[in-house]
Structure formats: structure tokens, C-alpha cells
């Protein structure tokens, strides 16, 4: 065994080999510990959505909430106000007792962001711009939180929910097995879960089916349908007694008749308001309204101090379960809209993986065969570098937490063809120099030196386009840009440095053999 | 094993008019196709919905169409076979912005009774997102060309840069002509393939230009035609073989990679063939046609060298403390 030089290039190459094989093992073995390459949604199946948020509705909600508070505190403080109304984005009321003006003003000043406009005793209240912006921002971040909570409780693996840009939400839910499950997840995400407890306007209820919404509005009422039937309608006072923000818990339970129901409990403030209202409204009905549909309107028989209630209304167990999750995670005050959806079923994901692997293996085999055939041992050395290249690409992707997508797999397959390009260029140069009569050692050294500029230039231009693709691409295309870029950079290490190191190590042997046909695949001897 | 052992110097420049004419014809034909037939845009760029369905037996396309078009929303749905007779894609322009119940769910309902099927994929791209992706796509393509132009102008002389870009436009045009001819849908994947192709086609061109640059500085030859013929002939083995190895893998992607990336692999396949052709036969010959002059280039390079040596001398003197 002739002693070759253990040169720095070879050492670096060995380190790369160990690193590459070691760091890519977790991905191959799918082990618990260690950084792994995660599969994109197009390979493992799942749901990807881009949602928009209707922030104007959040403002409307806030206005209603404020109106509820004003009503409650006015009653508490014995301030007699009349005609408390909501119209578009303003609240109007008339103060009947002039002596209470200071008290009312003081109370109103407590509410942040409220613009108070007074004409004698007629108040017009609106929200200032800064408050509106705050509400909108809060609506988006709250939507992200809420959706994340709901999906966490839905029980699927690792959902990813994040704000994107200024007003969009990205939702990624891997591993959904059926289209029905996917729809259930989407419905859970989109559920407003806006719970309101509203008083039935007993004086006008008998005209509920005949009154127009405009007329009802004039009375300060709103007409809502029953959840189970569109023909049953209720006239309710538009300002709710309570809303879902005062919920402290919601759980699935069963009614006396073994029907699934949702039992909810209120926080202390909510319990107080609830207690006061029920005490003052014995004999009247309180409507339990979920997402603007009346689920039930039981009679108030006594003061309820415990702060709990029940929503019943023909739920299946799954539906009750989902509603409870939605209530627990908080209402989505601003509804979400669908901007983009990509959902891939698990069977397609598996097929895509299979197709990519077949392409990878066949591409690899063809290239390896060609290199061996055309360049003999020089080709064999290039092939070693290629194998190490593949391990390294996987290792680097694992460390950076990159996601492997279908185009990403295509990128890896492409890298196979491009990584050997460097070796082709170098080997062709070496052959040319050998034909010109140079000694083997010089031919190899000069070959590497001369080929460098061409290789660096061509790899850099491919890198430029890869980077542009990464910046401007979305999802799967980004995956392609990532694997291409990593592949090219790694190939500079393996195909150039690595093979050079191997040649240096083997040089004494090559010189001794004097067999250029074996080593470089060209005719003639030297 | 060698293909190019003879080291023959081919006369590319002699045939340059012939070659350029063929290329010009191909490019004009491609532009014609683009103008008249036009690209078919996938939903990535035009917005819309795409549902991919796989049946256990042959997909009953007629029945599918009948049941879907019951809903007016899907009156213009396009139903085509996807790879195998068991699999179809249903494509239409409408989307809804409802999250809980979207058009994909509606299609699923309408398909009940057409047989045992599995919904493989649903893609919904709203109009806003579609136009954003179009913009991003164009930005990417534009920046790609700009980046390459600047890089080559930096590494070589400006005429090289123009010649490279013309060759690039030639490659992209003919590839897009093929895309239109074979009814390939323009999607994000295809755009990615075109961008990669731009980067890759320049690779080959650079290999040739690199050799030309080397010959210009090293050899005594003055005749541009001779230099080009010599350089291209010397590098033909390199360009052909590197393209061949890449061609091998792209071919496996095309035949085994599956229907989903079909557009992507087709684009790359055509692109590599055209790109190699243009690097060998077109790019260098354009140098002559742009008025590249060997004398002035050599003078300029000599001047640059002189300046470098001057600067190094000044620095040495400065460091020694004589200035």
C-alpha cells in the first residue's frame, strides 16, 4: 500500500463525510432525538391556508360591548338614561336626569378611546381613530391566538398559526387524514363562537314574525332566527346583557333527556351582571344566542346567582365538542376569510414521495453508471463525492430545519446532475493536458486550477437565480430553491475539494501505475 | 471512453449565418405561438379552484360533468384526465372566501354517486393572491435577468453580457414556445423551472466565454473568428457532457417524477437541450456580430494590468516608507 499524503483537503473531506452521514441519520431512522428534515405538506399531506381578517366587525363588536357596559353601569348607579341605541359605529343615548350628568360623564371617561359628543343631554359616542387601529391590530393577534388554541385542542399534530404581513394569517395543519376531518378543522377555525345573552322584548314578541328589521331597529331591537328553524323568530333587545368575553369555561354535558349540551360558567363580573338581570326580570325570557342564532330562550324563574348556564339545541356530540372548544378559546370577534388554500390528502403525499424516490434512484444510477463508463476510476472518485454530497445536503437541511417539498426533491435530483458537472469540467481539462503531454501529477494540479474559474462562475449564476427564487417564491417553490442552493454549495466542497484531496492521496499510486486508461479513461499510456 | 478525442477545430463562425437564421426562425415562431395561442395560466396566476380526484376504476368524466354543472357556480368547469384514466382534475374559475364551507366541499357533495373516489388535493387561490403571485413571478424573472446581466458584465466585458442575455432570451423564448405548443400550464413550478433554466443556460455560456477570455489573454492570435472557433471547439466536450449528465437526471424526473411536476420537468428538459445548443452555436458567434474587437480588448486588458502593477508598486513604496 503506497503511502499517499494525508493532505488538508482529504481531512476536510473526511470531516464532511462524518458530519454528513451523522447529521442525516436522524432523518433516515426517523429517530426521536436529533434534527430532522421535516416533510412539506405536499409530501405528508395536510392543510395550508392563508386567511384574511374582517377587522371592521371587531369594531362593531367592541361598540356593542361598550353599550352593554353602559347599560349595566347606568342601572347600577341609578342613572336614568333613555333610548340607548347602536347605529353603525356609534352609540347614542339621552340622559333623563340632569343631576346625574357629572356622574355619567365620569363613567364614560373611564372607557378608553371613547369620543363623547354632547348636545344638551343627547350623547353621541364614537371611537377615536387610534382606538380603532388598536382594536384592529388586537383583532388580528387575537385571531391568531384563538385559532392556535382551537387547533391545539382539536388534537392534530403541531399546527402552525402565524401572522403574515400586516393583516393575514397563515395556518398550516399537517397530517389530516380525510376530507371530512379537514372540513371540520376549517369550520372550527372559522366559528365566530360569539355567545350573547339577550333579553327577549316581551312587549313586542308576538309581532316577531311580522315586523321588519328596520322597524325593530327603531325600537332598539333586533330580530334573530331560531337556530333550528328559520320560521321561528325572536325580537330581542339589541344591546346584549352579556357576551362571551365573560365566559370562564365551557364543557360538554348531557341534558336530562341525554341530549348533548354545552354547560358554561361565567366569571365573577359576568355572574354579577347575570344575577342582577335575572333578579330584575323574573317571568321574562332570556335568549341564548350563538353566532346570531337563538338556541334557546328559557323563562327566568328566579335570580341565578351561580353564574352558569346551558346551551342546548340539537347538537350532536361532535358538534357540542367543537362548540365547547370554540367557546373556551374565545370568540373570533373578527371573522376570517379564505384567501388561499392548498390541501393535500395523505394518499397523494405518499405517491409523490414514491415518485420522487424512484426518480432520485434512477437519476443517481444513470449518472453513476455514465461517470464510471466514461471516466473509469476518475469517474469512480467523482461518484464517491456525489454520494457524500447527497448525505451532506440532507444533513444541512436537517440542521437548518428546512422543509422538504416535492419541488425540493426535484431540486435534489437536479443537484445530482449538476454536482458531477464540476467533475466533468475538471476531468476534461485533465484529459486535455494529458493529451498535450503533461505528466500526470501536473495535469491533475493544473486541471483543478484552470477549471476553478469556470466552475465558480457557473455555480454562482445558478445560485443567484436560486436566491431570487427563494425570495420571491412561495411554499413548495421555496423548498426547491433551498435544496438547489444547498446542493450547489455542498457540491463545491465534495466535488472539488473532496476529489482533489482523494487524488492527492492516491497520486503516488496513479503515477506508479502509468495507466491513464484506467485512471482517466483516455487512450494512450504515460 | 471518449467522444471528443480528435481535438478537431470546428468552423462554427463559418456557419454562423446559417445557425443564427435557424435560431431566429425558432424564436419568431415561439413568439408567434405566444401571441396567438397564448399561455394557459394555472390557478396560481389566474386564481380559481382545482380539485384532483382519483377513482377506483376509470373516471366517469361525462357523469362528473353532469353532476357538477347542476350548480351554476361550476358551469364552466374544466374536467381533464390527469396522468392516468383513473385520475381527473376539475378546474374552474370561481372561488369563495368562506373558510368553513368552501367550493371544494361543494364539489365533494356534488360528486356523491359517481363512484368510489378519493379527493387527492384541493387548491383554492383567491383573486388577490393570484395577482400577487403574478407580480412576484414577474419580479423574479426580471431580477433574474438583471442579476445575470450584471454578473457577467462584471466578470467579462459588456459585449459578453449582451451576448449572454440574447442567448438567454433565445432559450427562454423557444422553451416557452414549446410550453404553449404542448399545452403545458403556466404554474409556479414551471416558473421555477424557467428561472433555474436561466441560471443553468448561463453556466454553459460562461464555460465557453471563460475559454475565449483565456485565449484572448494568452494566445497571440488576433483573428476573432479563429479564437472563437478554437475556444468553442475546445470546450465542446465540456458543455456537451455537463449538459448530458443534467439531461440524464431531468429525463428521469420527466419519466418517473410523476404527473404533478410534469410541467416542471418538461420545461427543464426542453430548456437544457435548447440551452446547450445556444451555448455552443449562438452565444459566441454573437460576440462577433456585436462588434467585439480583439485589438481594443487586448489594449484595455493590458491597461488594466498596468494599473494593477502601478498600484502594487505604490503600495510597496508606501509600506517601505519612501513616499
Amino acid at each position: 500500500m503506497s503511502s499517499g499524503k494525508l493532505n488538508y483537503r482529504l481531512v476536510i473531506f473526511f470531516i464532511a463525510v462524518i458530519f454528513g452521514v451523522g447529521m442525516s441519520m436522524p432523518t433516515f431512522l426517523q429517530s426521536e432525538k436529533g434534527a430532522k428534515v421535516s416533510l412539506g405538506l405536499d409530501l405528508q399531506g395536510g392543510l395550508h391556508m392563508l386567511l384574511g381578517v374582517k377587522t371592521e366587525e371587531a369594531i362593531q363588536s367592541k361598540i356593542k360591548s361598550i353599550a352593554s357596559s353602559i347599560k349595566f353601569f347606568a342601572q347600577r348607579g341609578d342613572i336614568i338614561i333613555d333610548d340607548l341605541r347602536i347605529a353603525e359605529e356609534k352609540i347614542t343615548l339621552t340622559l333623563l336626569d340632569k343631576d346625574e350628568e357629572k356622574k355619567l360623564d365620569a363613567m364614560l371617561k373611564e372607557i378608553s378611546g371613547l369620543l363623547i359628543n354632547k348636545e344638551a343631554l343627547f350623547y353621541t359616542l364614537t371611537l377615536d381613530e387610534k382606538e380603532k387601529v388598536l382594536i384592529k391590530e388586537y383583532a388580528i393577534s387575537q385571531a391568531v391566538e384563538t385559532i392556535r388554541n382551537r387547533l391545539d385542542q382539536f388534537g392534530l399534530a403541531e399546527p402552525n398559526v402565524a401572522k403574515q404581513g400586516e393583516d393575514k394569517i397563515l395556518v398550516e395543519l399537517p397530517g389530516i387524514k380525510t376530507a371530512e376531518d379537514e372540513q371540520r378543522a376549517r369550520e372550527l377555525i372559522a366559528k365566530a363562537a360569539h355567545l350573547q345573552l339577550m333579553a327577549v322584548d316581551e312587549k313586542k314578541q308576538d309581532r316577531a314574525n311580522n315586523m321588519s328589521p328596520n322597524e325593530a331597529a327603531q325600537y332598539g331591537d333586533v330580530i334573530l332566527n331560531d337556530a333550528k328553524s328559520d320560521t321561528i323568530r325572536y325580537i330581542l333587545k339589541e344591546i346584549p346583557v352579556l357576551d362571551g368575553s365573560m365566559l370562564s369555561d365551557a364543557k360538554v354535558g348531557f341534558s336530562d333527556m341525554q341530549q348533548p349540551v354545552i354547560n358554561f360558567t361565567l366569571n365573577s363580573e359576568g355572574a354579577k351582571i347575570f344575577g342582577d338581570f335575572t333578579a330584575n326580570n323574573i317571568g321574562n325570557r332570556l335568549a341564548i344566542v350563538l353566532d346570531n342564532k337563538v338556541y334557546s330562550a328559557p323563562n327566568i324563574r328566579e335570580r341565578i346567582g351561580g353564574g352558569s348556564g346551558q346551551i342546548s339545541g340539537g347538537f350532536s356530540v361532535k358538534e357540542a365538542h367543537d362548540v365547547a372548544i370554540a367557546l373556551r378559546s374565545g370568540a373570533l370577534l373578527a371573522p376570517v376569510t379564505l384567501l388561499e388554500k392548498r390541501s393535500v390528502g395523505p394518499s397523494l403525499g405518499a405517491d409523490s414521495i414514491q415518485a420522487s424516490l424512484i426518480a432520485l434512484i434512477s437519476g443517481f444510477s444513470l449518472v453513476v453508471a455514465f461517470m464510471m463508463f466514461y471516466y473509469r476510476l476518475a469517474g469512480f472518485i467523482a461518484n464517491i463525492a456525489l454520494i457524500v454530497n447527497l448525505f451532506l445536503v440532507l444533513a444541512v437541511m436537517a440542521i437548518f430545519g428546512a422543509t422538504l417539498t416535492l419541488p425540493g426533491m426535484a431540486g435534489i435530483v437536479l443537484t445530482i446532475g449538476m454536482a458531477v458537472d464540476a467533475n466533468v469540467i475538471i476531468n476534461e481539462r485533465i484529459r486535455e493536458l494529458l493529451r498535450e503531454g503533461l505528466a500526470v501529477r501536473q495535469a491533475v494540479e493544473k486541471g483543478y486550477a484552470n477549471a476553478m474559474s469556470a466552475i465558480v462562475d457557473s455555480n454562482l449564476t445558478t445560485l443567484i437565480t436560486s436566491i431570487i427564487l427563494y425570495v420571491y417564491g412561495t411554499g413548495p417553490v421555496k423548498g426547491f430553491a433551498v435544496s438547489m442552493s444547498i446542493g450547489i454549495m455542498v457540491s463545491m466542497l465534495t466535488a472539488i475539494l473532496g476529489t482533489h484531496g482523494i487524488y492527492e492521496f492516491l497520486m503516488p499510486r496513479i503515477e506508479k501505475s502509468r495507466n491513464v486508461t484506467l485512471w482517466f479513461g483516455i487512450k494512450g499510456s504515460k | 471512453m471518449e467522444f471528443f478525442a480528435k481535438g478537431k477545430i470546428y468552423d462554427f463562425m463559418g456557419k454562423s449565418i446559417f445557425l443564427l437564421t435557424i435560431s431566429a426562425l425558432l424564436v419568431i415562431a415561439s413568439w408567434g405561438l405566444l401571441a396567438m395561442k397564448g399561455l394557459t395560466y394555472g390557478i396560481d396566476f389566474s386564481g380559481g379552484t382545482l380539485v384532483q380526484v382519483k377513482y377506483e376504476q376509470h373516471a366517469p368524466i361525462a357523469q362528473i360533468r353532469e353532476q357538477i354543472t347542476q350548480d351554476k357556480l361550476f358551469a364552466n368547469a374544466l374536467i381533464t384526465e390527469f396522468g392516468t384514466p383513473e385520475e381527473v382534475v376539475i378546474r374552474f374559475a370561481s372561488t369563495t372566501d368562506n373558510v368553513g364551507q368552501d367550493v371544494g366541499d361543494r364539489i365533494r357533495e356534488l360528486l356523491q354517486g359517481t363512484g368510489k373516489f378519493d379527493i387527492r388535493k384541493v387548491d383554492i387561490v383567491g383573486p388577490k393572491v393570484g395577482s400577487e403571485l403574478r407580480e412576484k413571478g414577474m419580479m423574479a424573472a426580471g431580477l433574474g435577468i438583471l442579476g445575470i446581466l450584471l454578473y457577467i458584465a462584471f466578470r467579462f466585458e459588456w459585449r459578453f453580457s449582451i451576448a449572454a442575455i440574447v442567448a438567454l432570451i433565445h432559450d427562454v423564448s423557444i422553451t416557452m414556445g414549446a410550453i404553449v405548443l404542448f399545452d403545458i400550464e403556466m404554474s409556479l413550478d414551471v416558473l421555477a423551472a424557467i428561472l433555474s433554466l436561466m441560471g443553468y443556460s448561463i453556466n454553459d455560456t460562461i464555460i465557453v466565454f471563460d475559454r475565449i477570455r483565456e485565449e484572448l489573454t494568452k494566445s497571440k492570435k488576433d483573428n476573432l473568428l479563429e479564437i472563437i472557433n478554437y475556444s468553442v471547439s475546445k470546450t465542446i466536450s465540456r458543455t456537451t457532457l455537463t449538459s448530458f449528465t443534467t439531461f440524464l437526471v431531468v429525463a428521469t424526473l420527466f419519466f418517473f417524477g410523476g404527473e404533478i411536476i410534469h410541467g416542471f420537468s418538461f420545461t427543464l428538459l426542453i430548456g437544457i437541450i435548447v440551452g446547450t445548443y445556444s451555448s455552443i452555436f449562438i452565444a459566441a458567434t454573437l460576440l462577433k456580430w456585436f462588434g467585439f474587437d480583439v485589438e481594443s480588448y487586448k489594449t484595455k486588458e493590458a491597461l488594466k494590468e498596468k494599473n494593477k502593477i502601478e498600484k502594487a508598486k505604490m503600495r510597496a513604496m508606501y509600506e517601505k516608507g519612501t513616499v
Side-chain angles (χ1 to χ4, degrees):
Chain A
M1 179 75 176
S2 46
S3 60
K5 268 194 292 170
L6 197 68
N7 55 86
Y8 77 95
R9 292 193 186 95
L10 199 59
V11 172
I12 296 180
F13 186 62
F14 271 141
I15 296 177
V17 173
I18 295 174
F19 177 78
V21 175
M23 296 309 284
S24 58
M25 269 307 124
T27 312
F28 282 119
L29 303 174
Q30 285 294 300
S31 61
E32 285 285 312
K33 279 202 272 181
K36 283 190 283 288
V37 177
S38 53
L39 285 179
L41 291 181
D42 56 354
L43 289 179
Q44 68 169 305
L47 173 67
H48 160 111
M49 285 199 297
L50 194 63
L51 303 173
V53 185
K54 281 200 189 138
T55 47
E56 314 75 47
E57 307 238 354
I59 295 184
Q60 204 51 36
S61 264
K62 183 74 176 181
I63 296 266
K64 263 204 198 167
S65 222
I66 293 178
S68 297
S69 308
I70 293 179
K71 190 164 184 182
F72 174 66
F73 283 113
Q75 276 178 347
R76 259 273 161 107
D78 275 329
I79 305 173
I80 307 174
I81 55 175
D82 189 33
D83 233 21
L84 180 59
R85 297 286 180 84
I86 307 176
E88 288 166 13
E89 288 185 1
K90 44 185 203 265
I91 303 172
T92 53
L93 61 94
T94 315
L95 176 63
L96 289 182
D97 191 348
K98 194 163 184 358
D99 296 331
E100 306 288 6
E101 196 176 336
K102 278 219 182 76
K103 220 167 154 191
L104 181 61
D105 284 349
M107 185 196 90
L108 289 176
K109 279 222 172 68
E110 297 272 302
I111 304 175
S112 69
L114 202 62
L115 287 173
I116 308 170
N117 189 310
K118 262 199 297 191
E119 262 180 47
L121 292 180
F122 181 71
Y123 287 75
T124 312
L125 309 168
T126 50
L127 291 170
D128 69 28
E129 282 310 307
K130 216 170 74 164
E131 183 72 15
K132 283 193 194 168
V133 168
L134 279 176
I135 294 177
K136 285 188 181 173
E137 279 174 11
Y138 178 69
I140 296 176
S141 55
Q142 188 236 21
V144 172
E145 255 328 290
T146 307
I147 294 176
R148 194 180 289 138
N149 280 341
R150 292 181 185 182
L151 289 179
D152 277 339
Q153 293 182 57
F154 192 58
L156 284 176
E158 294 181 39
N160 178 27
V161 184
K163 185 166 157 191
Q164 227 197 31
E166 272 192 17
D167 55 356
K168 302 201 198 59
I169 301 178
L170 176 69
V171 175
E172 282 178 335
L173 205 50
I176 300 189
K177 296 278 183 288
T178 66
E180 288 74 24
D181 272 351
E182 188 212 303
Q183 189 173 0
R184 216 179 123 209
R186 277 187 280 115
E187 282 175 350
L188 181 60
I189 291 172
K191 233 186 249 303
H194 194 189
L195 179 69
Q196 296 175 95
L197 298 183
M198 301 168 86
V200 174
D201 190 346
E202 298 292 359
K203 294 198 212 98
K204 306 192 184 58
Q205 177 53 33
D206 50 348
R207 293 168 50 204
N209 283 359
N210 301 327
M211 207 186 286
S212 75
N214 284 336
E215 203 189 331
Q218 282 175 2
Y219 296 122
D221 287 344
V222 70
I223 302 182
L224 292 177
N225 293 343
D226 183 277
K228 287 184 291 286
S229 147
D230 273 349
T231 51
I232 304 178
R233 295 210 196 114
Y234 296 85
I235 290 195
L236 310 166
K237 298 256 172 60
E238 73 179 341
I239 297 171
V241 176
L242 270 183
D243 68 18
S245 60
M246 309 227 173
L247 272 183
S248 66
D249 197 7
K251 280 207 268 278
V252 178
F254 289 91
S255 69
D256 302 326
M257 287 168 286
Q258 297 308 313
Q259 294 297 311
V261 293
I262 297 149
N263 294 318
F264 63 85
T265 39
L266 301 168
N267 61 19
S268 55
E269 193 188 335
K272 230 188 294 177
I273 300 177
F274 197 48
D276 275 6
F277 179 81
T278 48
N280 292 331
N281 284 278
I282 295 180
N284 292 338
R285 278 174 291 180
L286 177 64
I288 300 185
V289 179
L290 187 58
D291 292 340
N292 287 328
K293 290 256 162 66
V294 179
Y295 276 74
S296 62
N299 254 297
I300 302 171
R301 275 175 272 129
E302 55 179 1
R303 176 181 181 275
I304 303 175
S308 61
Q310 192 180 83
I311 309 173
S312 58
F315 295 113
S316 70
V317 176
K318 258 195 188 159
E319 284 170 353
H321 181 247
D322 290 348
V323 171
I325 292 180
L327 284 173
R328 274 202 301 272
S329 63
L332 258 192
L333 292 175
V336 287
T337 60
L338 185 67
L339 297 174
E340 181 190 0
K341 169 179 121 163
R342 314 267 179 173
S343 78
V344 175
S347 71
L348 185 58
D351 282 357
S352 297
I353 295 180
Q354 196 182 46
S356 323
L357 283 177
I358 294 179
L360 184 73
I361 294 175
S362 21
F364 182 75
S365 313
L366 280 174
V367 170
V368 162
F370 171 73
M371 290 301 277
M372 286 291 288
F373 189 58
Y374 198 74
Y375 291 108
R376 301 298 169 88
L377 284 182
F380 180 71
I381 295 175
N383 289 338
I384 294 179
L386 187 61
I387 296 175
V388 176
N389 191 329
L390 284 176
F391 276 107
L392 265 176
V393 168
L394 214 56
V396 173
M397 285 183 76
I399 293 187
F400 280 104
T403 311
L404 185 61
T405 61
L406 182 57
M409 281 297 281
I412 293 182
V413 176
L414 268 178
T415 307
I416 294 178
M418 298 172 101
V420 288
D421 281 358
N423 295 110
V424 167
I425 294 176
I426 294 168
N427 288 350
E428 285 300 311
R429 206 50 141 130
I430 294 178
R431 280 186 172 186
E432 200 184 312
L433 293 167
L434 285 174
R435 284 190 206 111
E436 282 175 13
L438 240 62
V440 171
R441 187 184 286 265
Q442 276 80 9
V444 170
E445 288 305 313
K446 230 180 154 201
Y448 272 89
N450 277 357
M452 275 307 272
S453 64
I455 297 174
V456 167
D457 274 335
S458 59
N459 278 357
L460 265 171
T461 47
T462 314
L463 253 176
I464 291 178
T465 50
S466 285
I467 292 177
I468 293 178
L469 261 177
Y470 181 77
V471 170
Y472 286 95
T474 58
V477 171
K478 257 189 166 73
F480 170 71
V482 166
S483 57
M484 273 280 275
S485 311
I486 294 179
I488 291 172
M489 292 192 280
V490 167
S491 77
M492 306 246 266
L493 180 67
T494 53
I496 305 177
L497 205 70
T499 54
H500 199 172
I502 297 178
Y503 277 115
E504 248 192 87
F505 180 77
L506 294 172
M507 192 48 70
R509 248 192 150 183
I510 303 177
E511 284 176 316
K512 221 165 158 209
S513 84
R514 291 176 170 267
N515 190 344
V516 282
T517 317
L518 176 66
W519 283 97
F520 296 103
I522 56 173
K523 291 193 193 60
S525 57
K526 181 64 175 69
Chain B
M1 174 76 203
E2 315 166 62
F3 290 147
F4 301 101
K6 282 172 255 162
K8 182 173 158 195
I9 308 293
Y10 301 92
D11 182 20
F12 293 105
M13 293 310 291
K15 304 207 176 54
S16 66
I17 298 187
F18 172 64
L19 295 167
L20 284 174
T21 318
I22 296 191
S23 286
L25 284 174
L26 282 171
V27 172
I28 293 177
S30 302
W31 286 352
L33 267 173
L34 277 165
M36 287 198 289
K37 191 168 171 205
L39 284 167
T40 11
Y41 286 100
I43 62 168
D44 290 336
F45 296 118
S46 64
T49 310
L50 185 129
V51 182
Q52 186 176 329
V53 191
K54 185 163 187 181
Y55 283 82
E56 293 223 327
Q57 69 292 348
H58 280 216
I61 295 189
Q63 193 189 356
I64 295 175
R65 180 168 294 119
E66 200 191 301
Q67 288 192 211
I68 291 183
T69 47
Q70 281 173 21
D71 189 327
K72 271 199 289 270
L73 203 62
F74 310 125
N76 290 326
L78 209 69
I79 307 173
T80 46
E81 196 180 282
F82 190 73
T84 62
E86 286 81 37
E87 201 152 4
V88 289
V89 284
I90 305 170
R91 196 195 142 166
F92 44 90
S94 39
T95 59
T96 56
D97 66 0
N98 199 306
V99 175
Q101 242 259 0
D102 58 36
V103 279
D105 303 320
R106 188 88 188 93
I107 292 275
R108 203 170 78 231
E109 281 169 24
L110 288 169
L111 281 178
Q112 294 301 326
T114 54
K116 194 145 188 270
F117 62 87
D118 171 33
I119 305 259
R120 306 262 269 171
K121 170 167 96 152
V122 178
D123 280 354
I124 301 180
V125 178
K128 246 203 308 183
V129 173
S131 66
E132 263 178 39
L133 288 175
R134 265 202 308 277
E135 266 177 46
K136 274 189 171 179
M138 291 199 286
M139 272 299 271
L143 274 179
I145 295 185
L146 192 67
I148 291 173
L149 195 93
L150 288 173
Y151 183 77
I152 298 190
F154 172 67
R155 295 282 284 159
F156 300 85
E157 198 230 27
W158 68 273
R159 285 193 193 84
F160 284 82
S161 191
I162 308 275
I165 292 296
V166 172
L168 191 69
I169 295 181
H170 162 274
D171 295 343
V172 175
S173 303
I174 298 183
T175 308
M176 291 190 77
I179 290 176
V180 175
L181 190 64
F182 286 89
D183 283 319
I184 305 284
E185 229 175 50
M186 184 61 169
S187 66
L188 280 173
D189 285 355
V190 171
L191 184 65
I194 291 179
L195 274 160
S196 311
L197 168 49
M198 288 208 278
Y200 193 74
S201 137
I202 287 295
N203 280 0
D204 283 354
T205 316
I206 286 184
I207 291 176
V208 177
F209 282 0
D210 183 71
R211 195 51 187 266
I212 295 179
R213 177 174 57 184
E214 197 183 308
E215 290 303 317
L216 282 171
T217 41
K218 290 218 191 110
S219 89
K220 300 276 189 296
K221 288 200 265 281
D222 264 3
N223 187 328
L224 182 63
L225 301 179
E226 265 181 49
I227 294 179
I228 292 180
N229 278 343
Y230 182 80
S231 309
V232 178
S233 305
K234 280 289 171 193
T235 53
I236 200 171
S237 62
R238 277 202 258 176
T239 46
T240 328
L241 288 169
T242 53
S243 300
F244 180 66
T245 54
T246 314
F247 179 80
L248 279 178
V249 293
V250 173
T252 56
L253 266 180
F254 182 73
F255 288 113
F256 300 120
E259 187 69 25
I260 299 186
I261 56 169
H262 180 82
F264 176 82
S265 34
F266 174 83
T267 310
L268 278 179
L269 201 66
I270 302 286
I272 288 183
I273 298 173
V274 179
T276 314
Y277 162 79
S278 80
S279 301
I280 299 175
F281 298 108
I282 307 295
T285 61
L286 284 173
L287 279 178
K288 150 120 192 326
W289 290 91
F290 288 148
F292 182 80
D293 185 54
V294 182
E295 273 302 321
S296 51
Y297 180 78
K298 285 201 176 170
T299 327
K300 253 198 270 169
E301 288 299 307
L303 202 64
K304 266 202 232 159
E305 268 303 307
K306 220 177 102 187
N307 283 340
K308 256 204 262 176
I309 297 176
E310 282 289 322
K311 265 207 185 137
K313 256 202 240 166
M314 295 290 287
R315 197 179 297 128
M317 285 168 68
Y318 178 70
E319 278 167 5
K320 276 223 208 104
T322 33
V323 180

